[in-house]
Amino acid sequence: GGGSSSSSLEGGGPDATVANCGAKTIKWTNVTKNYTSTHTHNGTYTWTEGGQRNARFAPQASYWNSGVPSGFVVNATLAQRWAQGPSPVTRAVVHTNEWPSSWGSTWMFAVDDIDSATGTVSFGKGGFQEARGGTGFQIWYIENLLAELDSPGEYFYDPDQGVIYLYPNTTNGVGREHGGGRQDGVVGEDGNNAGVAHASDAVRAFSAATPTRLVSGVLPTLVSVERADGVVLSGLTFERTLPTFLGPHESLPGGDWSIYRGGAVVFDTAERATVQNCTFDRVGGNGLFFSNHVVDSVVAGNEFVGVCDTAIALVGSTFYGDGTRATHPERNLVTLNHIHEVGVTGKGQAAYFQAMAKANTITKNVMYNGPRTGCENNDGFGGGYHYADNLLFAFSRETGGHSAWNAWDREPFVTLVDGNPTVYPAWSTLERNFIISFGMWTQSPNSDWCIDWDDGADFYIARNNVCVYGNIKTHGSGSRYAYNNLLLYPDVPGDGHPCVTAQSVESNSHFHNNTCQLLQATTVFDGHCEASSPLEDLPELYNNQYFLNTTNDPVVGCVPLSKLQALGGERGSTVRPLLSVAELTARACAAMGAVNCPPAVYPPVPPSPPPPP
């Protein structure tokens, strides 16, 4: 698709700007378009199985090792219009997504061919933008076809002719302002009509000599720092870089995601770097990328907005699971950043992402508006992560089965913890974070989790967090402690989640001294257990306070609370009527460690720290 294949028009007029990623996200569920010439569809189409299993990455492997489609079939009218259109179909790109049940599996494919007789769209390069694989996609859009240039804000670039076709988002007579020419024609180098017609009277086409400023990215990376110490980037703006979704992606060990190892700013093997007070505005791929041995560095006070993929990514490397070498980000500080509108193109993206990294601190950031997770830990690696005092909200807006904060730990690594090689990561902590689940707005039963310890993520402590409209979810037995958290109305959105959702046996975890208020649900802990011996499979539950809108005996796992307490479980836990807004405010204030908080009517039992690992 070239440098403009993921760009959109921002405004119009004599000083228009073509901005990569655009100011708004594609609307998958309707025909609102803010990209290049596009066609969108919401509905089920026939996807054709491809032979691309285990051939998407170099090396050719992923955790899931699943294939991807080789194409799909559209109706004959569309296929004929595209195949017989004025632009080559091989410059078009298809974007796919599985809404509303998507696991973040958003793929992009360069179009290889369109058969107008059968309606088959054959894919070429692509399908590597995530690592799970599959064929169950329901919605898609195609871009970079001149035949679809039919809405304000769209444009099409013809590299052979050096001409940009533009549908201005303005009422100004752009062509007339620059030397005349009909609105339905091409303005040539002399400012006169060049005689190239288009179906829409509003479309313009500008040659390189036309005195209208159109800006589009030509570089995927603006600053690259390698093997350096003490580099400082301060007060700079990085914007409109080249889209990278068709660039080489890596399948990361044990995760669902793949990633393009690059960004607008890249540090590879650097120490004591600083990126502060900078702006990353509508960059075409990742924003800031720390690759391999980047240590003791600071990312502070920056704004990331309209980022096509992930805003901040820290990704290391290993040699067959050996993480003892100095090839991973470590001891870095990410603080006081304002991160919003991420994942504009790719949907398996985050505000903050890390893989094969350890002992990094993410604190006092404001993150919101993303298609999938806010903070993503791809693996446990060496652990030692510290997430504190962050505000996260409005994530999982375009995908399901996820949360504002997520972690996996499917594959072991040998790393150095306290100088000793071990497969056990150091303990990681989440504390004093304020998280609002987006499930309240989407009514999705799969985006109600504030904190998601998924697929074996263990050696985590969550304490003093406030979760609104979301709960804590676990999957895969591990060592986890959740205490002194305030969980408010996780049952309101979707299918009415309880305070904790345990999708597997959780006998090694601890959930205690938490406050949870439910408006509808009567199950406070959803977990696996046998009614005859519930204590064997449930985690350690004690000193929790449940505030319910019912007098019924709540369910814990597979038995009523009263029965579990009679067996010695949930010792010290209580059930009371709903708290007032004033009381909830007081508890949230106290949980976040604020000063001068109003007194709480029911003070929680003082928390006891978890035992040492």
Side-chain angles (χ1 to χ4, degrees):
S4 63
S5 65
S6 284
S7 301
S8 69
L9 182 69
E10 180 190 58
D15 197 32
T17 301
V18 174
N20 291 312
C21 258
K24 298 180 181 179
T25 305
I26 275 284
K27 304 295 185 182
W28 293 94
T29 54
N30 56 47
V31 294
T32 300
K33 293 165 282 187
N34 295 286
Y35 273 51
T36 57
S37 47
T38 61
H39 174 87
T40 60
H41 178 78
N42 178 31
T44 302
Y45 268 59
T46 301
W47 297 93
T48 57
E49 290 284 355
Q52 301 186 47
R53 180 185 302 272
N54 200 26
R56 294 182 288 155
F57 306 100
Q60 295 182 358
S62 77
Y63 177 82
W64 299 99
N65 198 27
S66 298
V68 296
S70 62
F72 70 129
V73 180
V74 300
N75 64 64
T77 302
L78 276 180
Q80 289 174 7
R81 186 166 84 238
W82 296 344
Q84 298 170 10
S87 62
V89 297
T90 53
R91 292 196 183 123
V93 177
V94 172
H95 299 245
T96 67
N97 198 357
E98 185 185 12
W99 176 264
S101 59
S102 171
W103 293 86
S105 302
T106 302
W107 298 331
M108 298 81 165
F109 297 92
V111 173
D112 184 62
D113 183 58
I114 297 177
D115 189 328
S116 59
T118 64
T120 300
V121 179
S122 299
F123 295 155
K125 179 181 182 180
F128 40 64
Q129 294 86 1
E130 64 81 57
R132 286 183 71 108
T135 57
F137 291 89
Q138 299 175 352
I139 58 175
W140 53 271
Y141 69 87
I142 190 168
E143 68 166 329
N144 214 34
L145 285 169
L146 184 53
E148 293 297 338
L149 183 58
D150 57 4
S151 296
E154 294 186 340
Y155 75 96
F156 176 84
Y157 174 57
D158 184 340
D160 296 332
Q161 301 297 322
V163 173
I164 294 177
Y165 295 81
L166 173 67
Y167 197 131
N169 186 16
T170 179
T171 57
N172 294 334
V174 178
R176 291 189 297 273
E177 292 178 6
H178 293 290
R182 291 169 44 198
Q183 291 187 356
D184 62 348
V186 174
V187 179
E189 293 184 1
D190 59 357
N192 296 318
N193 186 283
V196 180
H198 193 273
S200 172
D201 288 340
V203 170
R204 318 283 201 279
F206 298 102
S207 70
T210 303
T212 293
R213 187 171 68 92
L214 297 171
V215 181
S216 185
V218 295
L219 297 173
T221 298
L222 301 178
V223 175
S224 179
V225 178
E226 298 184 22
R227 302 186 182 279
D229 188 351
V231 173
V232 176
L233 302 178
S234 181
L236 302 174
T237 296
F238 308 99
E239 61 182 356
R240 298 171 176 86
T241 53
L242 189 71
T244 57
F245 57 76
L246 286 179
H249 282 61
E250 299 178 28
S251 171
L252 300 169
D256 289 3
W257 297 9
S258 63
I259 198 164
Y260 175 85
R261 192 178 284 263
V265 175
V266 178
F267 285 82
D268 190 337
T269 311
E271 299 184 357
R272 289 171 287 276
T274 300
V275 181
Q276 63 184 13
N277 303 327
C278 293
T279 299
F280 292 75
D281 184 5
R282 289 164 291 178
V283 294
N286 301 312
L288 175 63
F289 203 101
F290 281 6
S291 179
N292 297 317
H293 179 73
V294 179
V295 300
D296 300 322
S297 298
V298 177
V299 182
N302 305 285
E303 181 177 14
F304 297 80
V305 56
V307 178
C308 273
D309 291 333
T310 290
I312 302 173
L314 280 62
V315 181
S317 301
T318 63
F319 183 75
Y320 291 101
D322 179 5
T324 61
R325 306 179 183 185
T327 57
H328 52 267
E330 182 177 2
R331 301 188 307 274
N332 299 296
L333 174 63
V334 178
T335 185
L336 298 172
N337 298 285
H338 181 197
I339 306 172
H340 54 112
E341 284 75 56
V342 300
V344 176
T345 303
K347 303 309 171 188
Q349 307 295 337
Y352 173 84
F353 175 86
Q354 66 177 26
M356 294 171 285
K358 69 176 186 177
N360 298 298
T361 297
I362 302 90
T363 182
K364 299 180 180 179
N365 301 283
V366 176
M367 311 179 193
Y368 58 93
N369 288 353
R372 199 139 176 78
T373 191
C375 295
E376 177 66 54
N377 283 10
N378 182 80
D379 46 64
F381 200 65
Y385 319 126
H386 188 209
Y387 292 83
D389 304 297
N390 299 290
L391 172 62
L392 291 83
F393 63 94
F395 286 100
S396 291
R397 298 197 306 169
E398 298 177 74
T399 61
H402 223 49
S403 59
W405 189 98
N406 184 81
W408 299 301
D409 193 6
R410 299 180 178 122
E411 294 189 10
F413 296 91
V414 178
T415 64
L416 297 178
V417 176
D418 296 327
N420 300 310
T422 177
V423 295
Y424 296 101
W427 285 87
S428 297
T429 304
L430 292 81
E431 58 183 340
R432 299 185 306 277
N433 300 288
F434 198 108
I435 303 174
I436 305 175
S437 170
F438 193 68
M440 172 191 179
W441 293 275
T442 63
Q443 296 296 304
S444 167
N446 293 320
S447 60
D448 301 344
W449 307 315
C450 283
I451 297 172
D452 186 358
W453 287 321
D454 198 16
D455 287 7
D458 61 358
F459 295 99
Y460 280 100
I461 299 170
R463 61 191 177 202
N464 296 89
N465 300 286
V466 176
C467 293
V468 183
Y469 304 116
N471 70 351
I472 296 174
K473 175 222 160 182
T474 66
H475 184 237
S477 181
S479 299
R480 313 178 186 98
Y481 291 83
Y483 62 90
N484 211 33
N485 299 289
L486 178 61
L487 309 172
L488 301 179
Y489 308 115
D491 59 329
V492 169
D495 59 358
H497 283 308
C499 309
V500 176
T501 298
Q503 296 183 339
S504 58
V505 174
E506 293 294 329
S507 56
N508 294 327
S509 296
H510 295 247
F511 182 79
H512 64 91
N513 298 84
N514 299 286
T515 298
C516 179
Q517 175 141 310
L518 299 172
L519 189 61
Q520 303 167 353
T522 57
T523 297
V524 295
F525 185 95
D526 184 11
H528 294 256
C529 67
E530 296 291 336
S532 59
S533 55
L535 295 178
E536 295 182 6
D537 297 329
L538 291 174
E540 288 288 330
L541 299 162
Y542 55 93
N543 291 345
N544 297 299
Q545 294 189 349
Y546 302 113
F547 296 90
L548 310 179
N549 193 24
T550 179
T551 58
N552 295 332
D553 195 5
V555 176
V556 181
C558 55
V559 296
L561 174 62
S562 58
K563 179 179 179 179
L564 189 65
Q565 289 185 319
L567 295 173
E570 278 278 20
R571 58 191 184 277
S573 297
T574 60
V575 179
R576 295 188 175 96
L578 295 179
L579 293 170
S580 66
V581 173
E583 176 72 8
L584 294 177
T585 303
R587 285 173 174 262
C589 182
M592 297 295 292
V595 297
N596 300 322
C597 295
V601 176
Y602 302 112
V605 178
S608 57

